[in-house]
Amino acid sequence: MHFTPDDHERISAAIAKAEAGTSGEIFCVISRQVSTYRDIRLAWAAAASLILPAILIPLGLSGDWFGFSNDWQVAHAASQSDEVNRALTAYALAQVITFIGVYLLSKIPFLALLMVPQRVRRSRVRRVALQQFMAHGLHATVDRTGVLIFAAMADHEVEVIADTGIYTQTSPEFWGSTVSVLVKHIKQGDPITGMENAIAMCGQALADKFPPREDDVNEVPDRLIVL
């Protein structure tokens, strides 16, 4: 998804408007994808390469499936040994084909999303969101009122992280509602509007508890970061 200069300006304007009534700080980050989940996709491919060929054995998996047999059958121990070798080769080849096939299928975004457990996606998105929270100094505001709104597009996950100053004075339901508003607009293909609405909600919550101070300064830039 491409974000235009106008999109960035809309977010900056929304943050400036929300922060006009509060000493709190809001920052927005959109990540196209926080992880390739290559380890998970490899695990699926490895598991499939072990399981599927084993299932095919009762169905007659043999060298015949891959053209390893010949037309002449000889009742001799050496021939039996050759047959075993062909069967083992067929099994190994079935494993290789399965591994490669499943791994290639896992690169399809829709299938990749199904293969990665949501708890894994949520954990990795939260880890990156926390890194962004710290990197942009949202943990170091005067009143501990930094709020990060983070959306991971390909991962289908959203995080709103609030520092202790504001988090302890609002209900968990409020943050859940903020996430829901953002997710709703992302599903409609309009993440920028979702961000604007989430910013407005966070701004109101901050204004209610932390009005502007006389010596208030803008501690964090009013901007959108796209990773």
Side-chain angles (χ1 to χ4, degrees):
M1 180 174 287
H2 177 68
F3 296 96
T4 66
D6 181 61
D7 293 331
H8 285 264
E9 290 176 7
R10 286 174 59 186
I11 296 301
S12 295
I15 294 174
K17 180 180 179 180
E19 291 183 355
T22 177
S23 61
E25 298 291 342
I26 301 170
F27 197 80
C28 296
V29 177
I30 293 178
S31 173
R32 292 184 175 89
Q33 186 175 32
V34 303
S35 174
T36 62
Y37 304 102
R38 188 168 180 265
D39 55 331
I40 304 297
R41 295 188 289 114
L42 285 171
W44 272 98
S49 69
L50 291 174
I51 296 171
L52 184 59
I55 293 175
L56 293 177
I57 290 176
L59 300 179
L61 175 64
S62 68
D64 295 347
W65 288 31
F66 301 100
F68 295 154
S69 65
N70 56 52
D71 294 334
W72 294 88
Q73 302 295 324
V74 180
H76 191 277
S79 175
Q80 296 300 316
S81 178
D82 288 344
E83 181 63 28
V84 170
N85 289 337
R86 286 195 293 270
L88 290 174
T89 302
Y91 186 84
L93 186 57
Q95 285 186 310
V96 171
I97 292 173
T98 301
F99 183 92
I100 294 173
V102 171
Y103 185 73
L104 291 176
L105 285 173
S106 74
K107 290 190 173 185
I108 300 173
F110 171 72
L111 292 178
L113 197 64
L114 293 177
M115 288 179 171
V116 181
Q118 187 178 32
R119 67 180 182 277
V120 173
R121 286 187 278 119
R122 183 177 294 123
S123 174
R124 296 191 186 183
V125 168
R126 183 163 185 80
R127 181 181 63 197
V128 174
L130 284 170
Q131 290 171 350
Q132 290 296 309
F133 186 88
M134 302 293 286
H136 296 289
L138 289 161
H139 65 297
T141 60
V142 173
D143 296 319
R144 303 298 298 273
T145 54
V147 177
L148 172 69
I149 302 173
F150 185 94
M153 305 303 291
D155 309 88
H156 289 204
E157 292 290 336
V158 165
E159 287 280 347
V160 177
I161 300 178
D163 206 350
T164 54
I166 182 62
Y167 184 81
T168 55
Q169 298 197 42
T170 50
S171 67
E173 289 76 19
F174 166 75
W175 302 109
S177 298
T178 305
V179 168
S180 296
V181 167
L182 178 52
V183 169
K184 175 185 175 182
H185 286 281
I186 290 176
K187 288 181 176 179
Q188 294 172 352
D190 191 5
I192 298 301
T193 298
M195 280 281 184
E196 289 176 324
N197 290 342
I199 290 166
M201 293 176 67
C202 292
Q204 184 60 57
L206 286 165
D208 290 343
K209 304 296 183 180
F210 296 92
R213 301 187 309 272
E214 290 186 3
D215 61 344
D216 189 38
V217 295
N218 193 17
E219 300 175 76
V220 179
D222 302 339
R223 58 182 299 198
L224 166 68
I225 294 291
V226 178
L227 304 177

